[in-house]
Amino acid sequence: MKVFSTLALAAVIATVALPASAQFAKPEDAIKYRQSALSVLGTHFGRLGAMANGKMAYDAKSAQESAEIVAFMSKLPWAGFGAGTEGGKSKPEVWKEQAKFHDLSDKMQAEAVKLNAAAKVGNVDSLKAAFGPAANSCKSCHDSFRNK
Ligand code: ASC
């Protein structure tokens, strides 16, 4: 049992320690992965925005589901930006300004966690208050790192 758990832990560490690019057979696969994750994220973020901005009727349960998805999906795109995966809509700055890219992606994830907590409160004012800062965290990364 002890041997098994030690081996299992070693396997987990080995997996986590792999360079992100090694998780994809081809750079195009990494690009597709990050774009897909950001697409699902954007779809649910857009629904929250529509509710926050009064373009869609506020529904607490649907907002909570979307915010939960946003919080989870916000963790995924970054593994798709490994070394050698330049392309898609990404500017080369993603790979040249890694510290800034990581800082902005961390901020976005933190805002997604706050948005999820705000959605759980269950009223539109709480959603509205968290939506703006979250949208700004998307935008500031796009402004620096995404081609139009
Ligand atoms: C969205 C979406 C984005 C962000 C960004 C916020 O709904 O798809 O990329 O909001 O436009 O400024």
Side-chain angles (χ1 to χ4, degrees):
M1 188 63 191
K2 183 122 194 303
V3 172
F4 175 77
S5 57
T6 305
L7 284 174
L9 184 63
V12 167
I13 290 167
T15 307
V16 171
L18 273 178
S21 56
Q23 296 169 14
F24 300 97
K26 302 187 297 271
E28 305 84 77
D29 293 345
I31 294 172
K32 197 183 348 176
Y33 179 89
R34 71 198 188 215
Q35 289 183 342
S36 303
L38 286 161
S39 172
V40 173
L41 172 61
T43 297
H44 288 276
F45 193 71
R47 287 180 195 167
L48 292 168
M51 285 189 236
N53 297 319
K55 294 186 181 127
M56 189 195 285
Y58 173 73
D59 177 77
K61 185 167 178 284
S62 148
Q64 282 162 18
E65 283 170 3
S66 276
E68 192 70 50
I69 292 166
V70 166
F72 185 79
M73 295 309 291
S74 74
K75 303 176 198 177
L76 302 187
W78 322 113
F81 287 95
T85 66
E86 287 86 344
K89 290 174 85 176
S90 302
K91 291 185 181 172
E93 281 77 5
V94 168
W95 292 271
K96 290 182 193 149
E97 298 173 21
Q98 286 270 292
K100 181 177 173 187
F101 184 67
H102 287 142
D103 180 50
L104 291 177
S105 62
D106 285 352
K107 282 188 176 137
M108 187 280 261
Q109 290 172 78
E111 291 300 339
V113 170
K114 289 186 205 167
L115 185 62
N116 194 17
K120 289 195 197 310
V121 175
N123 66 65
V124 73
D125 289 334
S126 171
L127 182 66
K128 275 185 197 167
F131 184 79
N136 284 337
S137 76
C138 304
K139 186 177 185 307
S140 60
C141 200
H142 291 162
D143 286 350
S144 295
F145 294 113
R146 184 179 71 168
N147 287 315
K148 295 280 172 253

